[in-house]
Amino acid sequence: MKTKALHGLAFARGLLPQRADFTLMRRSPGRDLLAGLTVAIVALPLALAFGVASGLGATAGLTTAVIAGILAAVFGGSNIQVSGPTGAMTVVLVPVVHQFGVSGVLEVTLMAGVILLVLALSGIGRYVRYLPASLVEGFTAGIAVVIALQQVPNMLGVEPGDEEKVWALAWDAVVRFLQAPDPVAPLITLGVAGVILAGARWRPSLPLSLLAVVIVTVIAAYGRSDLPVIGALPSALTAPAADFFDPAMLAVLLPSALAIAALAALESLLSATVADGMSVGERHNPDRELFGQGIANLVVPFFGGVPATAAIARTAVNVRSGARSRLAAISHSVVLLVVVLVAGSLVGYVPLAALAGVLLATTIQMVQLGAIRAIMRATRGDAVVLVVTFGVTVAIDLVTAVVVGLAAAALLALREVARSARVERVPLDTADHSAEERELLAEHIVAYRFDGPLFFGAAHRFLLELTEVSAVSVVILRMSRVTTLDATGGLMLDDVITRLEAKGIVVLVSGVTDEHRAVLRRLGVAPHLRELGRVFAGTPDAIRYARTLIPPARKPRTAG
């Protein structure tokens, strides 16, 4: 007990900031500060765009990038990861805003932070890496399409409707645009998106997204003052407040909180894995990363922010800019804070169509067509999981997609595991017997060997195969190769033994491991076999015992 407590204490301490973090920050501060400035230039339009897309406004996006960016950098599990608002979160937040308003978003963010802390303390972070790639790619592609559909009103320069489904929202915007078409907003969106995509391919080191937004803002300010814009931003962060919290809403908001926590965990750990691969010698702590994201999401709603997670795009820019420590992510947030304090009024003139272009480019970059094609060609099961997850994300909502995608992946995985399990009749070892004895043994004694898991996925098939056995005296069930045994498998084994004995067949069992023997004992499976001495450590012992059970009149006569 004491050892377990000490281990738990050591694990909890490992989730807190370490001395090595601060030592690393002192090694190359100049490089880290320059990387932080570069990331801030890239992150500014994204923070504004994701804040607007979430329904809480550009201020919420900037607030999240500042506060969550610093907290996740200090408490997170990666030295080079950058956190803030992301497009994936807007997919969950939009329906929450429609149904519960701003206070609902703030409360659901707080709840997600608590869930992430629980996940971190449970040590589950290391297992997220086992999620199938087909599920992840289906989510990612679906989220990209949903974000693009959400931005159709801003792309076309029309007021968004009140439809909850993104495809209905997009269709309504198209209909109203066609009633009085104005090409300026679509041209701004396509122009900004085109510059960002071209720059990402030819000059990824240049902050072309910010440059494009600035140029469009200047042109729009002097040429088309009627275009929808962000609006004035406050010159300081919102004072902390907790009046949004309503205990009566906890149960109602729990599904959305679970979805946000799952997305934050998945996106953060995937981003950290990508960052590890882009750097030399960097290895993130998955449980500490969840802890850092939990702290960030626990604090940011008190300042009016939206859910945060690590961002692959900003993290990749950070790594490519030469970041070596957490100082880069911290300095990126400080630069954004300066923007809020000094240039908030200027940011308010940015057209929503320009931010729609930023998001459109982001969605295109999110979809990895090569990975999707490879998964679709891999196996039928992978293709099914990807298509189902993608379809449910776009047609229904992300919460449902999380459940359906995981369920589909689990069912297909269970089917494959069940297919790998076999029960087959195997020949007896009769090397030391005469030909007449071997013939007699084959006629009266049969052995069946279980290979693989004996669980609910394969139990029914095994039951059908084994209960068809007849016209023999003894059946030996060889279980040394059973890898997994659950309650369904154990009860199936009990049913098989009962049915065979009802036919007058003697059942012997061999090769049961200590672990599986304990399961069978707890289930009360055929206790009479142990009492009669019909459970054996090895198959040869079972065969020798079986020979004594063959009717004497039918035993072969040996030469005198």
Side-chain angles (χ1 to χ4, degrees):
M1 183 67 71
K2 185 177 180 180
T3 303
K4 184 178 293 187
L6 291 174
H7 177 74
L9 183 61
F11 175 78
R13 285 178 177 171
L15 299 178
L16 299 175
Q18 307 293 311
R19 179 179 298 178
D21 302 338
F22 302 99
T23 301
L24 190 61
M25 290 169 60
R26 293 196 296 266
R27 289 184 179 176
S28 52
R31 176 177 292 184
D32 286 330
L33 291 173
L34 181 60
L37 176 62
T38 305
V39 175
I41 293 173
V42 174
L44 177 58
L46 290 174
L48 297 172
F50 292 141
V52 172
S54 70
L56 269 68
T59 302
L62 276 176
T63 299
T64 305
V66 172
I67 296 177
I70 292 176
L71 292 175
V74 173
F75 291 96
S78 172
N79 291 315
I80 52 179
Q81 186 137 265
V82 181
S83 298
T86 62
M89 288 302 174
T90 64
V91 179
V92 183
L93 295 181
V94 169
V96 176
V97 173
H98 278 296
Q99 191 170 359
F100 305 105
V102 174
S103 61
V105 173
L106 299 180
E107 185 164 353
V108 84
T109 304
L110 179 69
M111 295 170 62
V114 174
I115 294 171
L116 286 167
L117 290 178
V118 172
L119 293 177
L121 292 172
S122 69
I124 202 172
R126 70 200 70 176
Y127 298 109
V128 173
R129 71 189 69 174
Y130 298 118
L131 287 177
S134 54
L135 186 146
V136 174
E137 292 296 336
F139 279 147
T140 305
I143 289 168
V145 171
V146 171
I147 294 172
L149 292 176
Q150 286 175 345
Q151 291 303 305
V152 170
N154 290 336
M155 293 177 189
L156 302 179
V158 300
E159 286 292 325
D162 56 358
E163 291 80 6
E164 291 189 9
K165 300 299 181 184
V166 289
W167 49 268
L169 179 75
W171 177 250
D172 174 73
V174 171
V175 170
R176 286 190 285 118
F177 173 79
L178 293 176
Q179 293 173 352
D182 185 348
V184 175
L187 288 175
I188 289 176
T189 298
L190 294 176
V192 171
V195 169
I196 294 174
L197 294 174
R201 183 170 183 178
W202 303 110
R203 291 290 186 272
S205 59
L206 297 180
L208 293 181
S209 59
L210 181 62
L211 182 62
V213 170
V214 170
I215 292 174
V216 167
T217 301
V218 173
I219 294 174
Y222 287 96
R224 285 292 302 270
S225 59
D226 59 332
L227 284 174
V229 297
I230 291 177
L233 299 180
S235 58
L237 295 180
T238 305
D243 54 353
F244 63 86
F245 184 74
D246 182 2
M249 297 296 295
L250 292 175
V252 179
L253 293 173
L254 182 59
S256 297
L258 289 171
I260 289 173
L263 277 175
L266 180 61
E267 194 167 4
S268 297
L269 295 179
L270 286 176
S271 176
T273 302
V274 171
D276 289 349
M278 294 177 63
S279 60
V280 178
E282 178 66 25
R283 290 295 177 268
H284 73 282
N285 181 329
D287 294 313
R288 185 180 169 189
E289 181 61 30
L290 294 183
F291 184 79
Q293 298 299 331
I295 293 292
N297 284 283
L298 196 65
V299 174
V300 78
F302 293 101
F303 294 86
V306 295
T309 178
I312 294 178
R314 276 160 275 181
T315 298
V317 172
N318 194 40
V319 176
R320 287 198 296 262
S321 300
R324 292 291 184 271
S325 75
R326 300 164 192 268
L327 181 60
I330 294 172
S331 61
H332 128 274
S333 293
V334 173
V335 171
L336 293 179
L337 177 60
V338 172
V339 171
V340 174
L341 299 177
V342 176
S345 59
L346 297 177
V347 173
Y349 291 103
V350 175
L352 293 179
L355 295 186
V358 174
L359 289 174
L360 179 60
T362 301
T363 59
I364 293 173
Q365 293 170 327
M366 285 174 65
V367 180
Q368 302 293 327
L369 292 179
I372 292 176
R373 280 195 296 265
I375 291 173
M376 292 293 290
R377 295 171 182 170
T379 67
R380 184 176 299 177
D382 286 321
V384 168
V385 171
L386 191 152
V387 171
V388 167
T389 306
F390 172 82
V392 175
T393 301
V394 176
I396 305 178
D397 59 63
L398 196 59
V399 177
T400 306
V402 170
V403 177
V404 173
L406 289 174
L411 288 174
L412 290 170
L414 285 174
R415 186 186 68 169
E416 292 303 315
V417 172
R419 284 182 174 179
S420 69
R422 300 191 310 275
V423 58
E424 58 181 338
R425 180 171 175 172
V426 292
L428 299 176
D429 183 9
T430 55
D432 58 344
H433 299 288
S434 65
E436 190 175 5
E437 285 179 312
R438 287 196 295 270
E439 182 180 349
L440 186 61
L441 290 173
E443 182 180 351
H444 293 283
I445 304 173
V446 296
Y448 285 88
R449 183 178 64 205
F450 294 95
D451 283 301
L454 185 57
F455 74 131
F456 68 92
H460 182 67
R461 177 162 53 89
F462 289 169
L463 178 64
L464 293 178
E465 290 184 31
L466 289 171
T467 52
E468 292 178 357
V469 176
S470 60
V472 296
S473 301
V474 182
V475 168
I476 301 174
L477 302 179
R478 300 176 58 180
M479 299 184 60
S480 59
R481 296 190 182 183
V482 173
T483 56
T484 303
L485 178 67
D486 70 353
T488 305
L491 295 175
M492 178 278 299
L493 190 65
D494 188 66
D495 197 5
V496 166
I497 293 170
T498 301
R499 295 191 186 200
L500 291 176
E501 290 181 337
K503 296 179 182 180
I505 299 174
V506 175
V507 179
L508 309 180
V509 179
S510 70
V512 183
T513 65
D514 292 339
E515 179 183 358
H516 297 158
R517 186 180 295 109
V519 174
L520 296 176
R521 184 178 294 110
R522 287 193 292 267
L523 291 171
V525 175
H528 64 284
L529 293 186
R530 290 188 294 273
E531 297 170 359
L532 295 173
R534 295 179 179 178
V535 178
F536 301 89
T539 303
D541 294 334
I543 294 174
R544 282 191 290 271
Y545 181 83
R547 292 187 63 216
T548 66
L549 301 176
I550 298 176
R554 306 183 66 175
K555 283 187 178 181
R557 291 189 298 270
T558 58

